[in-house]
Structures are given as C-alpha cells and as structure tokens.
Amino acid sequence: MAQQRKGVATLKGNPITLLGPELQVGDPAPDFVLNKSLVDSVSLKDYAGKVKLISVVPSIDTGVCDAQTRRFNEEASSLGENVVILTVSVDLPFAQSRWCGAAGVDKVTLLSDYKDNSFGSAYGVLIEELKLDMRAIFVIDADDTIRYIEILSEMTEHPNYDEALQAARALI
C-alpha cells in the first residue's frame, strides 16, 4: 500500500490525498516507466547525462495544464541540448499527441502515466481520489539527483515557472 499524504493538496479548496513518498531535494530520482505511445515506453535511464525538467500536469486538455506545457515549450530552446523537458500526465498517448499537434508544441516530450500510475506513485504526486497526477515540477540533474521540487498545494494554480527554469539553468 502506497504512503498516503492527506492535507497537503486541494482541488478548488477541497482536500485531496497524494499517494507515494514525500521526495526531498538531494534524493536520488526514482526510476519510472512512462509511455511515449501505446506500445513504446521510456525510463529515467533514457535521459541519462541530461538535466531533466519534469512538468507534471493532471490533464493536458485543461487551461492551466495547457498554459504550463506551452510555457515550457517556449522556454525549451533557451535551455540548450543538455536539458530535456518532459511533461507527464495520465492522458492517453494519442490524446497527448493530438494536443501537441493542435498546439504546435514540439520541443517538450509528453509522456503518459496511464498504465499503472507508477510515476505518480514513485514521485508522490498520484491523487488517490482522481487517479490523476498532481501538478508539480521536478528538476533532476545529469546524475539523477533531484535538485528542485514544487508540488502545488492547489491543483488549479500555476507553478513558479521562473524558479523551475532557474533551477534547470543552474545545472547546465
């Protein structure tokens, strides 16, 4: 049974329960398996040697998630080739692909946690009541150590884009 963390987050003011550990800066990044398509998957090792900015969104088809993903897509080229931006949601891979095409998002990699919510559980952002991943940002260095974490206390709020980008730039 995954660790339950009650009272750390809300959805429109209503309490929700996050499942998984409360990760800290300095912790090794947990491995993950996420889907790029219905059959192709990736793990943390696929991004070895790169700085990873992981933008977690509940569902790509909502306003804040859309804006968050577009913002990181706009910033991606300024970070250089040693940084990869991954957007993680539980949306199906074909829905993510459709959204990227419609939005013109091409510098961020969208990955799906739909199969078993293993990313959400490993990173402590799986919402028990909704089986969605809570809005969060993780910056992981090239040696797979967590260097920045922001887990939003209210799902409908925007993350601190500037702090997350600054954390990634400091690792380049």
Side-chain angles (χ1 to χ4, degrees):
M1 179 86 180
Q3 176 185 351
Q4 289 185 328
R5 295 177 11 253
K6 296 178 182 277
V8 297
T10 59
L11 169 59
K12 296 182 179 176
N14 298 307
I16 53 179
T17 305
L18 298 184
L19 298 178
E22 184 175 353
L23 298 174
Q24 304 292 323
V25 169
D27 285 349
D31 198 9
F32 55 76
V33 175
L34 293 165
N35 284 78
K36 286 179 85 164
S37 69
L38 288 178
V39 293
D40 297 319
S41 60
V42 296
S43 68
L44 185 63
K45 71 177 181 269
D46 289 303
Y47 303 101
K50 299 241 183 213
V51 172
K52 294 150 286 285
L53 189 156
I54 302 176
S55 171
V56 184
V57 299
S59 177
I60 198 64
D61 283 314
T62 61
V64 177
C65 300
D66 177 293
Q68 182 173 330
T69 305
R70 287 175 190 265
R71 171 72 188 269
F72 285 124
N73 189 66
E74 290 168 9
E75 299 282 353
S77 10
S78 72
L79 296 174
E81 305 219 353
N82 289 328
V83 178
V84 62
I85 300 178
L86 309 174
T87 294
V88 175
S89 75
V90 297
D91 297 300
L92 291 173
F94 56 79
Q96 292 176 332
S97 179
R98 174 199 44 78
W99 181 88
C100 282
V105 168
D106 59 355
K107 295 173 186 67
V108 169
T109 302
L110 270 72
L111 299 170
S112 179
D113 195 21
Y114 85 97
K115 276 194 177 173
D116 59 10
N117 301 116
S118 62
F119 178 91
S121 296
Y123 281 73
V125 295
L126 179 61
I127 302 168
E128 181 176 46
E129 296 85 353
L130 305 172
K131 299 302 181 253
L132 296 173
D133 290 340
M134 183 65 181
R135 185 175 321 286
I137 307 289
F138 297 91
V139 176
I140 301 168
D141 69 19
D143 296 320
D144 294 337
T145 300
I146 299 172
R147 297 298 176 194
Y148 176 87
I149 299 173
E150 180 185 12
I151 298 175
L152 280 284
S153 58
E154 168 56 48
M155 183 195 290
T156 60
E157 293 179 358
H158 286 266
N160 188 327
Y161 301 108
D162 293 335
E163 271 190 21
L165 290 162
Q166 181 180 353
R169 284 187 179 102
L171 299 172
I172 301 172

